[in-house]
Amino acid sequence: RLYNEYRGLSSSGEDSQNVTTMEFRTPFADGKWQFRTRMYANKLDVDSKGVNEFGFGDLDFRLLTVPVLDMSKKFAVATGLEVFTPTASDDALGNDAWTLGPQVFFVKFLPFNGAFDLIAPGYQYRVSIDEDGPENKVGAHALDLFLLKTLNNKRQWIMINPQGFIDDENDIEFGNIDIEIGSMLGKEHGGQSVYARPSFAFGADRPYDLSMEVGYKFVW
């Protein structure tokens, strides 16, 4: 999966961030587990603080499994562990800490009498286990709510994703709402799809006002 996100930062009208992400996922252990890794090319322009950097952000990877799957009740539970590594090419493009992010998702298929294909609330807690100085210490909560609706025999989809973030270490709280619209590219293109995902942030501590992510996905 390859996608790019542009953010207009809330610090001033001229500050911005552009992140291009390359993501790879694969199942293993007879499909009982999934491995995901992401690499970031990050362009950060914060003229108000004299920061203008381009390079690679922190590399992260995740192990995910589904310990509960009951299709008779249309219910599942997924659990995972995400690891964030201090590999950014510049301190401004990452966090100089080894960080763990255990997470859990509860999935309900065909909720609200089938109005959506699924609804999936999730929670993740990120905590640093080794950091270079107290300013890099991490302790943060993230809450998600995925609402997915597919159309045209699952060839198009709409996803609504409200999120909330609480950073205990920096006393920061904010939220955002993502709306993703995507489509498969057709039988002649195999498992390829494209999507657009605008995001609207709110709260006094929000790091950005509006972002736009566009992406390409290939499944084989």
Side-chain angles (χ1 to χ4, degrees):
R1 180 180 172 201
L2 180 68
Y3 51 101
N4 187 85
E5 180 181 9
Y6 175 83
R7 289 180 172 180
L9 301 182
S10 58
S11 49
S12 83
E14 300 299 324
D15 295 346
S16 65
Q17 183 179 28
N18 195 82
V19 182
T20 301
T21 304
M22 184 173 64
E23 176 182 308
F24 174 74
R25 305 184 188 208
T26 185
F28 67 99
D30 296 324
K32 296 179 181 179
W33 288 81
Q34 182 197 80
F35 172 80
R36 183 194 72 187
T37 185
R38 294 183 296 194
M39 179 184 295
Y40 308 88
N42 197 337
K43 180 68 168 68
L44 182 63
D45 293 313
V46 188
D47 294 333
S48 60
K49 296 184 179 180
V51 176
N52 300 100
E53 296 291 342
F54 174 74
F56 289 103
D58 291 339
L59 182 72
D60 65 64
F61 60 89
R62 183 185 71 180
L63 299 174
L64 185 74
T65 189
V66 181
V68 178
L69 178 60
D70 188 340
M71 292 309 297
S72 65
K73 297 181 179 179
K74 298 182 173 60
F75 177 75
V77 178
T79 59
L81 177 65
E82 200 163 4
V83 179
F84 302 85
T85 67
T87 54
S89 57
D90 187 272
D91 290 346
L93 304 179
N95 195 299
D96 200 0
W98 284 90
T99 304
L100 300 180
Q103 56 190 195
V104 60
F105 298 95
F106 302 92
V107 183
K108 178 65 176 177
F109 300 98
L110 301 176
F112 311 122
N113 295 319
F116 290 91
D117 289 63
L118 63 84
I119 179 172
Y123 170 75
Q124 181 181 51
Y125 180 65
R126 290 179 57 176
V127 59
S128 57
I129 57 173
D130 183 37
E131 61 274 343
D132 186 13
E135 70 278 4
N136 292 300
K137 191 174 182 180
V138 176
H141 311 262
L143 299 106
D144 285 90
L145 179 63
F146 293 91
L147 290 159
L148 176 68
K149 178 66 176 179
T150 59
L151 307 165
N152 191 19
N153 197 25
K154 298 186 178 181
R155 302 191 65 81
Q156 285 85 39
W157 68 88
I158 300 173
M159 184 181 71
I160 303 172
N161 180 203
Q163 302 173 73
F165 301 91
I166 302 173
D167 186 336
D168 294 331
E169 295 298 328
N170 298 293
D171 195 24
I172 291 174
E173 299 179 3
F174 70 95
N176 65 270
I177 298 177
D178 296 352
I179 302 173
E180 181 176 306
I181 301 174
S183 176
M184 302 295 292
L185 292 180
K187 294 181 180 179
E188 65 274 14
H189 296 287
Q192 300 179 64
S193 61
V194 293
Y195 68 90
R197 186 172 184 165
S199 177
F200 308 90
F202 54 90
D205 299 325
R206 65 189 184 278
Y208 67 93
D209 296 315
L210 173 67
S211 77
M212 172 60 76
E213 177 184 317
V214 292
Y216 164 80
K217 184 187 294 185
F218 177 45
V219 181
W220 71 93

